[in-house]
Amino acid sequence: MADFMKTDYSNNSGNSYEPLPTGTYEMIINNAKENATQSGAETLQIDLLVRNDLDKVPELAETNAKYHNRHVFMDNWKRHATNQYDLDGFQYILQAVKVPEGTPLKSIDDFIKLITGAAVSVYVKKEDNTYKGETTKVNRVAPWNFSETKFPDVQHEYKKSSKPAAKQTASSGKDNQADPFANNGDSVDISDDDLPF
């Protein structure tokens, strides 16, 4: 009888839940949503997902190749003095996803729709965080640590549970090829010339 398998732990290095090592990662903005703490502090939390389609890129051997499919969460807290988000910080993210200059955004929902599903390059820092006398390692991402992706041809394969709600990139305006029928609830206009009958 043939063996069922042979143990091989060489690929286990990136599967821990420890914070990612400091470095620049090619990521997808997997999701963004508003949250609040029990004390009422409000945040826009951005879920960044390390792309899994760049394992063979030599310059990403120590980042994406080792840590693909890992999530990093970035909180953007409302300022206590104004009860508003730091909109200047959001500009860096919008620029990284290539939203055209002068694009009006009427709400935080507009911002979320424009960034969700977009590929970006992100500098992630691993640092100490002390809370109630206990120091742990955490990942930090600042808005100015976002830049345009160096790899715009996204071939990332999503796990079913982590697929972004919106799959539209601001730069192309086209739906992701993985789901050509997704329209995010918008109406679809089809002319008679487009119909085969």
Side-chain angles (χ1 to χ4, degrees):
M1 175 179 244
D3 291 335
F4 168 66
M5 67 180 279
K6 181 180 177 182
T7 58
D8 178 4
Y9 307 126
S10 62
N11 292 323
N12 289 358
S13 63
N15 294 330
S16 76
Y17 292 102
E18 295 292 316
L20 298 177
T22 296
T24 300
Y25 295 80
E26 290 291 327
M27 303 182 119
I28 301 243
I29 299 175
N30 191 54
N31 195 357
K33 63 183 177 182
E34 289 188 287
N35 287 323
T37 65
Q38 288 182 347
S39 64
E42 296 176 88
T43 181
L44 175 73
Q45 187 177 71
I46 298 176
D47 173 9
L48 299 163
L49 177 63
V50 179
R51 289 172 56 180
N52 62 18
D53 58 334
L54 303 171
D55 289 359
K56 306 264 188 265
V57 177
E59 68 189 84
L60 300 175
E62 296 300 314
T63 55
N64 283 67
K66 286 187 176 181
Y67 300 99
H68 61 244
N69 294 326
R70 290 280 305 275
H71 294 262
V72 174
F73 296 93
M74 173 191 173
D75 281 304
N76 299 277
W77 297 97
K78 282 188 175 180
R79 302 296 182 246
H80 291 292
T82 63
N83 198 33
Q84 299 295 318
Y85 293 112
D86 175 14
L87 299 181
D88 291 339
F90 287 177
Q91 297 295 333
Y92 292 98
I93 300 168
L94 291 167
Q95 184 176 18
V97 302
K98 300 195 280 189
V99 173
E101 181 79 31
T103 300
L105 282 73
K106 297 188 187 306
S107 68
I108 194 68
D109 289 335
D110 288 348
F111 177 77
I112 290 170
K113 286 176 187 174
L114 285 172
I115 68 170
T116 301
V120 289
S121 182
V122 180
Y123 178 74
V124 177
K125 187 175 180 183
K126 182 178 179 180
E127 61 183 33
D128 289 337
N129 181 57
T130 303
Y131 180 70
K132 293 188 177 182
E134 184 180 340
T135 300
T136 58
K137 295 285 187 186
V138 297
N139 283 135
R140 297 263 193 244
V141 176
W144 48 88
N145 291 139
F146 281 71
S147 58
E148 288 183 25
T149 181
K150 296 177 186 171
F151 305 92
D153 181 24
V154 178
Q155 300 298 319
H156 180 87
E157 293 185 23
Y158 292 92
K159 294 179 180 180
K160 289 183 182 184
S161 63
S162 67
K163 190 172 183 180
K167 286 299 301 154
Q168 188 169 358
T169 59
S171 60
S172 68
K174 296 179 183 175
D175 287 335
N176 186 330
Q177 294 175 356
D179 188 358
F181 302 103
N183 69 356
N184 299 324
D186 297 332
S187 64
V188 178
D189 293 325
I190 300 174
S191 73
D192 290 341
D193 296 335
D194 293 331
L195 297 173
F197 47 88

